Amino acid sequence: MSIILSLIAAVLLGGGYYLAATTTLQTIGIRFFPVILMTIVGTYFFYTQLSVFLLKLVKRNKYFYWKQTRLVTISDLAYRMKDNARMFFLVTIASAVAFCAIGALSAFGGFKKVYEEKAQFPVVYQSAEKNPQEAKHLQAIEQDFKKQKFPFTKIKTTIVEQTDMKTKQPVELIRLSDYNQFAKTAKQETLSLKGTQVYKLETTMYNPVKSKNPPSIHLKESDVAIKPVKTIRNNVITSGIIGYEVYVISDSLFSQIKNPLNHVRYYTENWLATKDIGMAIYGSKNGIYTDSYSSTAEFAYTSNGYDYNMMAGMYKTMLFVALLVGCVFFIAAGSFLYLRLYTDLDYDKRQYSTIAKVGLTEKELNKIITPQLLLLFFIPLAIAFVHSVFAFIALQSMFEFSISKETAVVLLGFGAVQVLYFLLSRFRYLTHIKKEAVTASFFIQ
């Protein structure tokens, strides 16, 4: 046992937890492997050095250590921790892998929340000025709505494209009155503007990265300067053919700008049922839609019901694989504990038989063995839980919705299984010990 290695264990685990807890989307790629390495090495030294050091400190407290059966319990625990350190290390890492594999995939189930919050207009068709397929596509969409007998509200507006003189990147502009019409239909807050003020809209369905607004944007084609006031968490305009830089401008400024892009949105209450709307559009040329992208796009089509249905199917397959991998690792971790426990069974029989000769009762035997087994079964699980919690905190930086519910369900589920496994192992272990004791008539009556 080395005090220096014990300190290294504490520093590595503490440092790894700190880096995980302070991770952002920009730093998660850089910190991923260093944090894993720090956690693995720190866990190894925790069992081989730090745990032994902590138990020695407990033994120095004579009042606590010498009370009743604690002398036997703590002495035996110290021996088991030192002798089985590598086994505990493997159990902890295997359990953490199982928790993280299933928890990470379970977190993706929360994407439904994003759709529910932002699918205010679940069917969107965007068309360039010279798109010969526009009328046919819109007719197909509306016919599908009527076939499905879904009530819908159709709103058509125009978006124009300009170029930011400073960044040379395209920006899209929508007039204030059109945006407010969308917002009223979707029961969202309307906006108001003064002069050259504009609002920037978040147009992606999922965007954990928050970008800063430039102080001003000079539009090349119209020679007009606009001033972004703030970014709106927008639920009515999404990306597609229009790109990602979309601004709401006043009606008077909008009338000075050219390059129109028709934008048609359909509002309906049951967004999940839109998975079969507009199926005839898929396969059309020069478009942007699920599984298709065109660099010279004439239109873009989005059906949130269809997109979510595709994502949910892929998610279920991946979750099944994660469950399989997680269960294999968790069963392996339990097998390590079980085999080690029964490897020491003959030694334990002799040990407790010897103690019984000097007055050990059956009640005292239970008081000795139960805490030992509790610690042996749940110390590796508790450390794996802590590792996983900080892993999920780091994972949270990749999502703009909370994953706490999904991860809590995974951890509590594994915890419940471990409790059942402990109770079964304890019952069988005590049965073997007591059987030997009764056979030899060791217990004091």
Side-chain angles (χ1 to χ4, degrees), residues 6-26:
S6 298
L7 290 174
I8 289 175
V11 170
L12 287 174
L13 289 176
Y17 293 157
Y18 173 79
L19 291 175
T22 57
T23 291
T24 63
L25 187 62
Q26 291 80 6

mmCIF file with all atom_site columns, all heavy atoms in Angstrom, residues 6-26:
data_model
loop_
_atom_site.group_PDB
_atom_site.id
_atom_site.type_symbol
_atom_site.label_atom_id
_atom_site.label_alt_id
_atom_site.label_comp_id
_atom_site.label_asym_id
_atom_site.label_entity_id
_atom_site.label_seq_id
_atom_site.pdbx_PDB_ins_code
_atom_site.Cartn_x
_atom_site.Cartn_y
_atom_site.Cartn_z
_atom_site.occupancy
_atom_site.B_iso_or_equiv
_atom_site.pdbx_formal_charge
_atom_site.auth_seq_id
_atom_site.auth_comp_id
_atom_site.auth_asym_id
_atom_site.auth_atom_id
_atom_site.pdbx_PDB_model_num
ATOM 1   N N   . SER A 1 6  ? -2.184  6.134  -3.562  1.00 0.00 ? 6  SER A N   1
ATOM 2   C CA  . SER A 1 6  ? -3.540  6.421  -3.086  1.00 0.00 ? 6  SER A CA  1
ATOM 3   C C   . SER A 1 6  ? -3.954  7.840  -3.463  1.00 0.00 ? 6  SER A C   1
ATOM 4   O O   . SER A 1 6  ? -5.090  8.080  -3.911  1.00 0.00 ? 6  SER A O   1
ATOM 5   C CB  . SER A 1 6  ? -3.624  6.246  -1.568  1.00 0.00 ? 6  SER A CB  1
ATOM 6   O OG  . SER A 1 6  ? -3.331  4.916  -1.196  1.00 0.00 ? 6  SER A OG  1
ATOM 7   N N   . LEU A 1 7  ? -3.030  8.790  -3.299  1.00 0.00 ? 7  LEU A N   1
ATOM 8   C CA  . LEU A 1 7  ? -3.300  10.177 -3.693  1.00 0.00 ? 7  LEU A CA  1
ATOM 9   C C   . LEU A 1 7  ? -3.489  10.290 -5.205  1.00 0.00 ? 7  LEU A C   1
ATOM 10  O O   . LEU A 1 7  ? -4.347  11.041 -5.686  1.00 0.00 ? 7  LEU A O   1
ATOM 11  C CB  . LEU A 1 7  ? -2.161  11.085 -3.225  1.00 0.00 ? 7  LEU A CB  1
ATOM 12  C CG  . LEU A 1 7  ? -2.051  11.308 -1.721  1.00 0.00 ? 7  LEU A CG  1
ATOM 13  C CD1 . LEU A 1 7  ? -0.788  12.104 -1.393  1.00 0.00 ? 7  LEU A CD1 1
ATOM 14  C CD2 . LEU A 1 7  ? -3.285  12.043 -1.191  1.00 0.00 ? 7  LEU A CD2 1
ATOM 15  N N   . ILE A 1 8  ? -2.682  9.541  -5.956  1.00 0.00 ? 8  ILE A N   1
ATOM 16  C CA  . ILE A 1 8  ? -2.819  9.550  -7.423  1.00 0.00 ? 8  ILE A CA  1
ATOM 17  C C   . ILE A 1 8  ? -4.204  9.051  -7.820  1.00 0.00 ? 8  ILE A C   1
ATOM 18  O O   . ILE A 1 8  ? -4.842  9.603  -8.727  1.00 0.00 ? 8  ILE A O   1
ATOM 19  C CB  . ILE A 1 8  ? -1.717  8.688  -8.072  1.00 0.00 ? 8  ILE A CB  1
ATOM 20  C CG1 . ILE A 1 8  ? -0.358  9.387  -7.926  1.00 0.00 ? 8  ILE A CG1 1
ATOM 21  C CG2 . ILE A 1 8  ? -2.022  8.432  -9.547  1.00 0.00 ? 8  ILE A CG2 1
ATOM 22  C CD1 . ILE A 1 8  ? 0.813   8.559  -8.425  1.00 0.00 ? 8  ILE A CD1 1
ATOM 23  N N   . ALA A 1 9  ? -4.682  8.010  -7.135  1.00 0.00 ? 9  ALA A N   1
ATOM 24  C CA  . ALA A 1 9  ? -6.022  7.486  -7.418  1.00 0.00 ? 9  ALA A CA  1
ATOM 25  C C   . ALA A 1 9  ? -7.085  8.552  -7.195  1.00 0.00 ? 9  ALA A C   1
ATOM 26  O O   . ALA A 1 9  ? -7.980  8.748  -8.029  1.00 0.00 ? 9  ALA A O   1
ATOM 27  C CB  . ALA A 1 9  ? -6.304  6.266  -6.541  1.00 0.00 ? 9  ALA A CB  1
ATOM 28  N N   . ALA A 1 10 ? -6.986  9.259  -6.053  1.00 0.00 ? 10 ALA A N   1
ATOM 29  C CA  . ALA A 1 10 ? -7.960  10.308 -5.739  1.00 0.00 ? 10 ALA A CA  1
ATOM 30  C C   . ALA A 1 10 ? -7.894  11.451 -6.759  1.00 0.00 ? 10 ALA A C   1
ATOM 31  O O   . ALA A 1 10 ? -8.923  11.964 -7.203  1.00 0.00 ? 10 ALA A O   1
ATOM 32  C CB  . ALA A 1 10 ? -7.722  10.834 -4.332  1.00 0.00 ? 10 ALA A CB  1
ATOM 33  N N   . VAL A 1 11 ? -6.679  11.842 -7.143  1.00 0.00 ? 11 VAL A N   1
ATOM 34  C CA  . VAL A 1 11 ? -6.505  12.942 -8.103  1.00 0.00 ? 11 VAL A CA  1
ATOM 35  C C   . VAL A 1 11 ? -7.036  12.551 -9.481  1.00 0.00 ? 11 VAL A C   1
ATOM 36  O O   . VAL A 1 11 ? -7.728  13.346 -10.143 1.00 0.00 ? 11 VAL A O   1
ATOM 37  C CB  . VAL A 1 11 ? -5.012  13.347 -8.188  1.00 0.00 ? 11 VAL A CB  1
ATOM 38  C CG1 . VAL A 1 11 ? -4.788  14.308 -9.359  1.00 0.00 ? 11 VAL A CG1 1
ATOM 39  C CG2 . VAL A 1 11 ? -4.571  13.990 -6.886  1.00 0.00 ? 11 VAL A CG2 1
ATOM 40  N N   . LEU A 1 12 ? -6.710  11.337 -9.917  1.00 0.00 ? 12 LEU A N   1
ATOM 41  C CA  . LEU A 1 12 ? -7.168  10.892 -11.239 1.00 0.00 ? 12 LEU A CA  1
ATOM 42  C C   . LEU A 1 12 ? -8.691  10.811 -11.308 1.00 0.00 ? 12 LEU A C   1
ATOM 43  O O   . LEU A 1 12 ? -9.300  11.278 -12.283 1.00 0.00 ? 12 LEU A O   1
ATOM 44  C CB  . LEU A 1 12 ? -6.557  9.537  -11.583 1.00 0.00 ? 12 LEU A CB  1
ATOM 45  C CG  . LEU A 1 12 ? -5.073  9.528  -11.947 1.00 0.00 ? 12 LEU A CG  1
ATOM 46  C CD1 . LEU A 1 12 ? -4.577  8.096  -12.125 1.00 0.00 ? 12 LEU A CD1 1
ATOM 47  C CD2 . LEU A 1 12 ? -4.816  10.322 -13.219 1.00 0.00 ? 12 LEU A CD2 1
ATOM 48  N N   . LEU A 1 13 ? -9.306  10.222 -10.289 1.00 0.00 ? 13 LEU A N   1
ATOM 49  C CA  . LEU A 1 13 ? -10.767 10.118 -10.296 1.00 0.00 ? 13 LEU A CA  1
ATOM 50  C C   . LEU A 1 13 ? -11.421 11.494 -10.166 1.00 0.00 ? 13 LEU A C   1
ATOM 51  O O   . LEU A 1 13 ? -12.361 11.817 -10.905 1.00 0.00 ? 13 LEU A O   1
ATOM 52  C CB  . LEU A 1 13 ? -11.236 9.205  -9.159  1.00 0.00 ? 13 LEU A CB  1
ATOM 53  C CG  . LEU A 1 13 ? -10.939 7.714  -9.339  1.00 0.00 ? 13 LEU A CG  1
ATOM 54  C CD1 . LEU A 1 13 ? -11.373 6.936  -8.103  1.00 0.00 ? 13 LEU A CD1 1
ATOM 55  C CD2 . LEU A 1 13 ? -11.649 7.162  -10.569 1.00 0.00 ? 13 LEU A CD2 1
ATOM 56  N N   . GLY A 1 14 ? -10.904 12.314 -9.241  1.00 0.00 ? 14 GLY A N   1
ATOM 57  C CA  . GLY A 1 14 ? -11.453 13.658 -9.077  1.00 0.00 ? 14 GLY A CA  1
ATOM 58  C C   . GLY A 1 14 ? -11.281 14.503 -10.335 1.00 0.00 ? 14 GLY A C   1
ATOM 59  O O   . GLY A 1 14 ? -12.199 15.219 -10.754 1.00 0.00 ? 14 GLY A O   1
ATOM 60  N N   . GLY A 1 15 ? -10.072 14.411 -10.930 1.00 0.00 ? 15 GLY A N   1
ATOM 61  C CA  . GLY A 1 15 ? -9.814  15.165 -12.157 1.00 0.00 ? 15 GLY A CA  1
ATOM 62  C C   . GLY A 1 15 ? -10.679 14.697 -13.307 1.00 0.00 ? 15 GLY A C   1
ATOM 63  O O   . GLY A 1 15 ? -11.201 15.514 -14.078 1.00 0.00 ? 15 GLY A O   1
ATOM 64  N N   . GLY A 1 16 ? -10.850 13.379 -13.439 1.00 0.00 ? 16 GLY A N   1
ATOM 65  C CA  . GLY A 1 16 ? -11.704 12.839 -14.497 1.00 0.00 ? 16 GLY A CA  1
ATOM 66  C C   . GLY A 1 16 ? -13.149 13.272 -14.335 1.00 0.00 ? 16 GLY A C   1
ATOM 67  O O   . GLY A 1 16 ? -13.814 13.656 -15.313 1.00 0.00 ? 16 GLY A O   1
ATOM 68  N N   . TYR A 1 17 ? -13.640 13.242 -13.087 1.00 0.00 ? 17 TYR A N   1
ATOM 69  C CA  . TYR A 1 17 ? -15.010 13.675 -12.826 1.00 0.00 ? 17 TYR A CA  1
ATOM 70  C C   . TYR A 1 17 ? -15.181 15.165 -13.137 1.00 0.00 ? 17 TYR A C   1
ATOM 71  O O   . TYR A 1 17 ? -16.211 15.583 -13.686 1.00 0.00 ? 17 TYR A O   1
ATOM 72  C CB  . TYR A 1 17 ? -15.392 13.408 -11.372 1.00 0.00 ? 17 TYR A CB  1
ATOM 73  C CG  . TYR A 1 17 ? -15.488 11.937 -11.010 1.00 0.00 ? 17 TYR A CG  1
ATOM 74  C CD1 . TYR A 1 17 ? -15.352 11.520 -9.685  1.00 0.00 ? 17 TYR A CD1 1
ATOM 75  C CD2 . TYR A 1 17 ? -15.722 10.964 -11.980 1.00 0.00 ? 17 TYR A CD2 1
ATOM 76  C CE1 . TYR A 1 17 ? -15.452 10.176 -9.347  1.00 0.00 ? 17 TYR A CE1 1
ATOM 77  C CE2 . TYR A 1 17 ? -15.810 9.626  -11.647 1.00 0.00 ? 17 TYR A CE2 1
ATOM 78  C CZ  . TYR A 1 17 ? -15.674 9.243  -10.330 1.00 0.00 ? 17 TYR A CZ  1
ATOM 79  O OH  . TYR A 1 17 ? -15.772 7.913  -10.004 1.00 0.00 ? 17 TYR A OH  1
ATOM 80  N N   . TYR A 1 18 ? -14.198 15.959 -12.765 1.00 0.00 ? 18 TYR A N   1
ATOM 81  C CA  . TYR A 1 18 ? -14.284 17.404 -13.021 1.00 0.00 ? 18 TYR A CA  1
ATOM 82  C C   . TYR A 1 18 ? -14.322 17.697 -14.520 1.00 0.00 ? 18 TYR A C   1
ATOM 83  O O   . TYR A 1 18 ? -15.139 18.493 -14.996 1.00 0.00 ? 18 TYR A O   1
ATOM 84  C CB  . TYR A 1 18 ? -13.088 18.127 -12.379 1.00 0.00 ? 18 TYR A CB  1
ATOM 85  C CG  . TYR A 1 18 ? -13.023 19.601 -12.746 1.00 0.00 ? 18 TYR A CG  1
ATOM 86  C CD1 . TYR A 1 18 ? -13.848 20.521 -12.104 1.00 0.00 ? 18 TYR A CD1 1
ATOM 87  C CD2 . TYR A 1 18 ? -12.153 20.052 -13.739 1.00 0.00 ? 18 TYR A CD2 1
ATOM 88  C CE1 . TYR A 1 18 ? -13.805 21.867 -12.446 1.00 0.00 ? 18 TYR A CE1 1
ATOM 89  C CE2 . TYR A 1 18 ? -12.099 21.391 -14.085 1.00 0.00 ? 18 TYR A CE2 1
ATOM 90  C CZ  . TYR A 1 18 ? -12.931 22.296 -13.433 1.00 0.00 ? 18 TYR A CZ  1
ATOM 91  O OH  . TYR A 1 18 ? -12.891 23.627 -13.792 1.00 0.00 ? 18 TYR A OH  1
ATOM 92  N N   . LEU A 1 19 ? -13.439 17.044 -15.278 1.00 0.00 ? 19 LEU A N   1
ATOM 93  C CA  . LEU A 1 19 ? -13.413 17.256 -16.726 1.00 0.00 ? 19 LEU A CA  1
ATOM 94  C C   . LEU A 1 19 ? -14.721 16.816 -17.371 1.00 0.00 ? 19 LEU A C   1
ATOM 95  O O   . LEU A 1 19 ? -15.226 17.469 -18.292 1.00 0.00 ? 19 LEU A O   1
ATOM 96  C CB  . LEU A 1 19 ? -12.246 16.503 -17.347 1.00 0.00 ? 19 LEU A CB  1
ATOM 97  C CG  . LEU A 1 19 ? -10.839 17.022 -17.019 1.00 0.00 ? 19 LEU A CG  1
ATOM 98  C CD1 . LEU A 1 19 ? -9.775  16.108 -17.614 1.00 0.00 ? 19 LEU A CD1 1
ATOM 99  C CD2 . LEU A 1 19 ? -10.657 18.445 -17.534 1.00 0.00 ? 19 LEU A CD2 1
ATOM 100 N N   . ALA A 1 20 ? -15.286 15.705 -16.888 1.00 0.00 ? 20 ALA A N   1
ATOM 101 C CA  . ALA A 1 20 ? -16.562 15.228 -17.437 1.00 0.00 ? 20 ALA A CA  1
ATOM 102 C C   . ALA A 1 20 ? -17.694 16.193 -17.113 1.00 0.00 ? 20 ALA A C   1
ATOM 103 O O   . ALA A 1 20 ? -18.540 16.483 -17.969 1.00 0.00 ? 20 ALA A O   1
ATOM 104 C CB  . ALA A 1 20 ? -16.880 13.840 -16.894 1.00 0.00 ? 20 ALA A CB  1
ATOM 105 N N   . ALA A 1 21 ? -17.711 16.699 -15.879 1.00 0.00 ? 21 ALA A N   1
ATOM 106 C CA  . ALA A 1 21 ? -18.796 17.586 -15.447 1.00 0.00 ? 21 ALA A CA  1
ATOM 107 C C   . ALA A 1 21 ? -18.748 18.938 -16.143 1.00 0.00 ? 21 ALA A C   1
ATOM 108 O O   . ALA A 1 21 ? -19.784 19.602 -16.287 1.00 0.00 ? 21 ALA A O   1
ATOM 109 C CB  . ALA A 1 21 ? -18.746 17.775 -13.932 1.00 0.00 ? 21 ALA A CB  1
ATOM 110 N N   . THR A 1 22 ? -17.570 19.383 -16.582 1.00 0.00 ? 22 THR A N   1
ATOM 111 C CA  . THR A 1 22 ? -17.431 20.702 -17.214 1.00 0.00 ? 22 THR A CA  1
ATOM 112 C C   . THR A 1 22 ? -17.300 20.602 -18.733 1.00 0.00 ? 22 THR A C   1
ATOM 113 O O   . THR A 1 22 ? -16.968 21.583 -19.388 1.00 0.00 ? 22 THR A O   1
ATOM 114 C CB  . THR A 1 22 ? -16.204 21.433 -16.648 1.00 0.00 ? 22 THR A CB  1
ATOM 115 O OG1 . THR A 1 22 ? -15.020 20.619 -16.839 1.00 0.00 ? 22 THR A OG1 1
ATOM 116 C CG2 . THR A 1 22 ? -16.381 21.711 -15.164 1.00 0.00 ? 22 THR A CG2 1
ATOM 117 N N   . THR A 1 23 ? -17.571 19.425 -19.288 1.00 0.00 ? 23 THR A N   1
ATOM 118 C CA  . THR A 1 23 ? -17.453 19.236 -20.729 1.00 0.00 ? 23 THR A CA  1
ATOM 119 C C   . THR A 1 23 ? -18.552 19.992 -21.474 1.00 0.00 ? 23 THR A C   1
ATOM 120 O O   . THR A 1 23 ? -19.694 20.067 -21.015 1.00 0.00 ? 23 THR A O   1
ATOM 121 C CB  . THR A 1 23 ? -17.548 17.734 -21.076 1.00 0.00 ? 23 THR A CB  1
ATOM 122 O OG1 . THR A 1 23 ? -16.386 17.069 -20.589 1.00 0.00 ? 23 THR A OG1 1
ATOM 123 C CG2 . THR A 1 23 ? -17.629 17.517 -22.575 1.00 0.00 ? 23 THR A CG2 1
ATOM 124 N N   . THR A 1 24 ? -18.196 20.557 -22.615 1.00 0.00 ? 24 THR A N   1
ATOM 125 C CA  . THR A 1 24 ? -19.156 21.183 -23.514 1.00 0.00 ? 24 THR A CA  1
ATOM 126 C C   . THR A 1 24 ? -19.115 20.446 -24.851 1.00 0.00 ? 24 THR A C   1
ATOM 127 O O   . THR A 1 24 ? -18.268 19.574 -25.062 1.00 0.00 ? 24 THR A O   1
ATOM 128 C CB  . THR A 1 24 ? -18.824 22.669 -23.732 1.00 0.00 ? 24 THR A CB  1
ATOM 129 O OG1 . THR A 1 24 ? -17.537 22.773 -24.364 1.00 0.00 ? 24 THR A OG1 1
ATOM 130 C CG2 . THR A 1 24 ? -18.784 23.421 -22.396 1.00 0.00 ? 24 THR A CG2 1
ATOM 131 N N   . LEU A 1 25 ? -20.004 20.810 -25.741 1.00 0.00 ? 25 LEU A N   1
ATOM 132 C CA  . LEU A 1 25 ? -20.035 20.157 -27.048 1.00 0.00 ? 25 LEU A CA  1
ATOM 133 C C   . LEU A 1 25 ? -18.726 20.380 -27.805 1.00 0.00 ? 25 LEU A C   1
ATOM 134 O O   . LEU A 1 25 ? -18.268 19.523 -28.559 1.00 0.00 ? 25 LEU A O   1
ATOM 135 C CB  . LEU A 1 25 ? -21.209 20.686 -27.880 1.00 0.00 ? 25 LEU A CB  1
ATOM 136 C CG  . LEU A 1 25 ? -21.466 19.976 -29.209 1.00 0.00 ? 25 LEU A CG  1
ATOM 137 C CD1 . LEU A 1 25 ? -21.823 18.512 -28.976 1.00 0.00 ? 25 LEU A CD1 1
ATOM 138 C CD2 . LEU A 1 25 ? -22.569 20.671 -29.990 1.00 0.00 ? 25 LEU A CD2 1
ATOM 139 N N   . GLN A 1 26 ? -18.092 21.542 -27.565 1.00 0.00 ? 26 GLN A N   1
ATOM 140 C CA  . GLN A 1 26 ? -16.838 21.852 -28.257 1.00 0.00 ? 26 GLN A CA  1
ATOM 141 C C   . GLN A 1 26 ? -15.661 21.064 -27.703 1.00 0.00 ? 26 GLN A C   1
ATOM 142 O O   . GLN A 1 26 ? -14.687 20.814 -28.419 1.00 0.00 ? 26 GLN A O   1
ATOM 143 C CB  . GLN A 1 26 ? -16.535 23.359 -28.164 1.00 0.00 ? 26 GLN A CB  1
ATOM 144 C CG  . GLN A 1 26 ? -17.479 24.255 -28.956 1.00 0.00 ? 26 GLN A CG  1
ATOM 145 C CD  . GLN A 1 26 ? -18.795 24.503 -28.244 1.00 0.00 ? 26 GLN A CD  1
ATOM 146 O OE1 . GLN A 1 26 ? -18.985 24.103 -27.095 1.00 0.00 ? 26 GLN A OE1 1
ATOM 147 N NE2 . GLN A 1 26 ? -19.730 25.143 -28.928 1.00 0.00 ? 26 GLN A NE2 1
#
